[in-house]
């Protein structure tokens, strides 16, 4: 099938690569000429494990352009995967979505085309996109658009850092549409994925117990709400375990054991119960804010989601409070941060807790040093205003520091030579913001080990 994808961010590029890998002819469209040129030359615009191999494997089915006219007219399915960054009100800014919908209407062929919202869009956007595509189509052709195209919602559930794995082996595929023909087109598009009939790439073998993938066929509004409700629920789980973590600290309990003990109840599940600094990234903050904003438009309070957001905000403050308790004075101190990215295996810094923590420490007069295995280059490009001294190694971060905070749980940080690191620090204080380090080993090495939960 011929497919176009508008937007080559995490979602668009991964979706494009995945559909090309499954055998479809995919054209990715992006307005950013530099980005398109780089992609044409085989360069990847962000760090994502296995994406390079995956794009190379799918290359024969994949092309990149800045021109809608080179992609849309021959496509049966057009995905919109543009950014929907938060606006000042908390509601997402839809200007890129609107431009994409208009561009599609201006180029869509006179045949049945499915326009798919892959971006996370406010509930009701399916109808809105439909009206923009229709208007642009009718303006161009002077004809009624009736039946020429339909809009579907196909929310994305991939996590950065495991985007390819999540795309190939999803827990479910959700397709929302109010039109039967749309459902049929989407089913045949996703058939190899749903039936798991494709050959797994060597670098990401199919999980042993992987069976057929359930397809949830829903109406448009339900599919749109599923996306927000899923992300908000995951965010709630994290904030819940962090709230329990605060209590664990007071009563002398170990939050890691508590999380395991509750998570093994199949009704609860062990995932997303890792206590620590809390969530960052471009999704949970934005989507929980949008859910609260939508609820309030309908006179609802979404108080659980609001509380989860507040707990998450406080976790970052608690890092500074803990350091203050321990060091008493932050002015003139040097604090080292291990990790800048919002989670391991990505160089994405959007809403990364490290940035907030660094700003707060600097405000209090501390000097901040940091290391990240992949995100430092991006940090220099995007945050020249935050005065962090970047270090080439984690050891250099710790040298002469009064405290080290583990902000992002990159695997390699656990295995550092902590014994020799201790002797290079001014004070042997470690705040393990992700409950990631070997507490017993650090204590044995003579560290003062702190965490956000005990
Ligand atoms: C999230 C969802 O997990 C995806 O399903 C969804 O598709 C995506 O948002 C999106 O809407 O595009 P992502 O933000 O990439 O994915 O990464 P997550 O693995 O969900 O992590 C989010 C944040 O929560 C990270 O800062 C992570 O450190 C934190 N987290 C995660 C915890 O603090 N504890 C946990 O137990 C799990």
């Amino acid at each position: 099938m011929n497919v176009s994808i508008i937007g080559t961010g995490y979602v668009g590029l991964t979706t494009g690569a995945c559909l090309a890998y499954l055998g479809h002819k995919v054209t990715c469209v992006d307005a950013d000429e530099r980005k398109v040129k780089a992609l044409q030359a085989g360069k990847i615009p962000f760090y994502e494990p296995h994406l390079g191999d995956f794009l190379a494997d799918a290359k024969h089915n994949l092309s990149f352009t800045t021109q809608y006219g080179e992609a849309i007219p021959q496509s049966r399915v057009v995905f919109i995967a543009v950014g929907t960054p938060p606006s000042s009100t908390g509601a997402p800014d839809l200007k890129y979505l609107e431009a994409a919908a208009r561009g599609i209407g201006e180029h869509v062929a006179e045949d049945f085309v499915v326009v798919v919202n892959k971006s996370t869009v406010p509930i009701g956007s399916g109808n809105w996109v439909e009206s923009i595509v229709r208007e642009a189509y009718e303006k161009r052709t002077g004809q009624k658009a009736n039946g020429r195209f339909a809009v579907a919602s196909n929310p994305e559930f991939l996590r950065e850092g495991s985007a390819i794995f999540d795309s190939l082996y999803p827990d479910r595929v959700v397709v929302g549409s109010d039109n039967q023909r749309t459902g049929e087109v989407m089913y045949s598009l996703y058939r190899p994925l749903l039936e798991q009939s494709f050959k797994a790439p060597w670098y990401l073998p199919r999980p042993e117990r992987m069976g057929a993938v359930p397809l949830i066929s829903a109406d448009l509004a339900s599919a749109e709400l599923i996306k927000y409700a899923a992300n908000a629920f995951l965010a709630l789980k994290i904030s819940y375990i962090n709230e329990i973590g605060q209590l664990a600290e007071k009563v002398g309990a170990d939050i890691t054991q508590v999380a395991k003990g509750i998570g093994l109840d199949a009704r609860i599940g062990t995932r997303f119960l890792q206590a620590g600094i809390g969530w960052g990234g471009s999704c949970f903050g934005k989507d929980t804010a949008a859910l609260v904003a939508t609820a309030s438009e309908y006179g609802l309070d979404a108080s659980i989601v609001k509380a989860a957001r507040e707990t998450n905000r406080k976790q970052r403050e608690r890092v500074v409070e803990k350091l203050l308790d321990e060091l008493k004075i932050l002015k003139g101190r040097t604090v080292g941060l291990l990790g800048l990215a919002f989670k391991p295996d990505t160089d994405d810094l959007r809403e990364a807790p490290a940035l907030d923590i660094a700003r707060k420490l600097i405000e209090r007069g501390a000097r901040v040093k940091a290391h990240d295995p992949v995100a430092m280059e991006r940090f220099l490009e995007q945050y020249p205003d935050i005065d962090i001294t970047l270090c080439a190694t984690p050891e250099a971060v710790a040298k002469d520091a009064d405290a080290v905070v583990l902000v992002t749980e990159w695997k390699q940080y656990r295995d550092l030579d902590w014994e020799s690191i201790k002797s290079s620090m001014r004070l042997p204080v470690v705040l393990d913001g992700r409950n990631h380090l070997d507490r017993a080993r650090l204590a044995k090495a003579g560290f003062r080990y702190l965490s956000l939960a005990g």
Side-chain angles (χ1 to χ4, degrees):
M1 204 179 283
N2 278 331
V3 178
S4 294
I5 316 267
I6 304 181
T8 56
Y10 282 96
V11 171
L13 193 55
T14 310
T15 305
C18 183
L19 291 171
Y21 185 87
L22 296 178
H24 300 295
K25 282 273 170 229
V26 179
T27 311
C28 296
V29 187
D30 201 295
D32 184 340
E33 205 160 318
R34 259 187 35 212
K35 202 171 179 190
V36 166
K37 281 222 170 83
L39 285 164
Q40 283 166 338
K43 289 192 193 113
I44 304 161
F46 47 81
Y47 178 86
E48 177 63 42
H50 307 301
L51 183 57
D53 286 329
F54 199 51
L55 283 167
D57 285 351
K59 182 164 96 193
H60 56 291
N61 279 335
L62 201 52
S63 56
F64 300 95
T65 178
T66 53
Q67 304 300 315
Y68 280 64
E70 287 174 16
I72 314 293
Q74 54 271 24
S75 290
R76 163 73 63 213
V77 181
V78 181
F79 281 89
I80 304 180
V82 295
T84 51
S87 68
S88 52
T89 63
D93 181 346
L94 301 179
K95 64 172 183 274
Y96 303 114
L97 183 69
E98 187 176 358
R102 187 162 309 111
I104 294 168
E106 284 164 0
H107 293 93
V108 76
E110 296 179 26
D111 191 1
F112 183 70
V113 175
V114 179
V115 178
V116 186
N117 264 340
K118 193 84 178 158
S119 306
T120 302
V121 293
I123 298 150
S125 297
N127 297 331
W128 183 64
V129 164
E130 207 267 343
S131 71
I132 297 167
V133 180
R134 181 161 21 85
E135 209 178 278
Y137 174 87
E138 291 179 354
K139 197 167 160 203
R140 169 171 63 99
T141 62
Q143 288 175 20
K144 285 268 166 236
N146 292 349
R148 297 278 186 220
F149 64 88
V151 173
S153 162
N154 173 216
E156 183 51 65
F157 301 109
L158 64 81
R159 292 160 301 166
E160 290 179 23
S162 36
I164 315 298
F165 181 90
D166 291 349
S167 301
L168 289 176
Y169 311 117
D171 292 335
R172 78 297 203 191
V173 170
V174 174
V175 174
S177 89
D178 297 332
N179 169 306
Q180 198 195 333
R181 204 165 159 204
T182 305
E184 285 160 14
V185 172
M186 293 302 284
Y187 179 76
S188 55
L189 182 78
Y190 277 127
R191 193 169 178 162
L193 194 81
L194 296 170
E195 295 177 351
Q196 288 288 301
S197 56
F198 63 89
K199 186 170 180 289
W202 61 267
Y203 40 86
L204 280 176
R206 181 171 284 113
E208 249 167 48
R209 282 200 293 275
M210 184 83 201
V213 175
L215 171 69
I216 310 294
S217 299
D219 56 82
L220 264 177
S222 302
E224 289 169 348
L225 184 52
I226 285 170
K227 170 68 191 193
Y228 283 107
N231 267 3
F233 190 79
L234 294 169
L236 293 185
K237 270 189 102 170
I238 299 168
S239 281
Y240 177 72
I241 202 65
N242 284 336
E243 195 167 284
I244 298 296
Q246 290 176 33
L247 184 59
E249 179 175 62
K250 298 282 183 212
V251 302
D254 176 343
I255 192 60
T256 313
Q257 286 177 22
V258 175
K260 194 169 171 194
I262 61 173
L264 285 173
D265 182 328
R267 292 169 302 175
I268 296 172
T270 49
R271 296 167 76 190
F272 281 72
L273 284 183
Q274 198 189 320
I277 290 173
W279 79 71
S282 66
C283 302
F284 287 173
K286 173 166 74 84
D287 293 353
T288 51
L291 192 60
V292 169
T294 305
S296 98
E297 277 173 31
Y298 289 89
L300 300 171
D301 191 37
S303 52
I304 296 179
V305 184
K306 278 187 189 162
R309 287 173 56 76
E310 183 55 15
T311 299
N312 197 59
R313 191 188 61 76
K314 281 197 191 135
Q315 287 302 93
R316 297 175 183 197
E317 273 173 10
R318 290 185 65 224
V319 172
V320 181
E321 282 161 17
K322 285 256 165 185
L323 290 174
L324 203 53
D325 268 2
E326 184 64 26
L327 302 174
K328 308 300 175 203
I329 289 167
L330 286 174
K331 221 181 241 44
R333 300 280 194 185
T334 299
V335 178
L337 304 183
L338 292 181
L340 289 169
F342 84 97
K343 62 179 280 191
D345 294 319
T346 181
D347 60 353
D348 196 342
L349 292 158
R350 286 175 290 176
E351 304 292 321
L355 306 181
D356 238 5
I357 293 166
R359 284 193 188 102
K360 288 184 205 308
L361 291 170
I362 293 165
E363 249 170 52
R364 286 181 170 270
R367 178 173 167 240
V368 178
K369 301 200 276 177
H371 170 266
D372 189 285
V374 301
M376 293 202 283
E377 208 177 304
R378 191 170 273 225
F379 173 81
L380 285 174
E381 256 170 56
Q382 297 181 340
Y383 299 94
D385 56 309
I386 310 180
D387 185 18
I388 300 179
T389 307
L390 297 182
C391 301
T393 61
E395 289 78 9
V397 165
K399 190 168 181 316
D400 297 328
D402 295 289
V404 161
V405 183
L406 181 125
V407 186
T408 316
E409 67 276 33
W410 286 94
K411 260 204 199 89
Q412 54 263 54
Y413 291 153
R414 193 177 154 92
D415 304 325
L416 293 173
D417 181 354
W418 284 101
E419 289 73 13
S420 74
I421 284 180
K422 190 206 151 225
S423 56
S424 77
M425 290 179 68
R426 198 174 297 144
L427 294 172
V429 176
V430 166
L431 170 49
D432 182 359
R434 298 285 180 184
N435 295 303
H436 177 63
L437 302 173
D438 182 342
R439 181 182 194 143
R441 178 181 161 200
L442 264 74
K444 192 162 164 233
F447 275 101
R448 170 93 172 108
Y449 175 95
L450 309 170
S451 83
L452 292 178

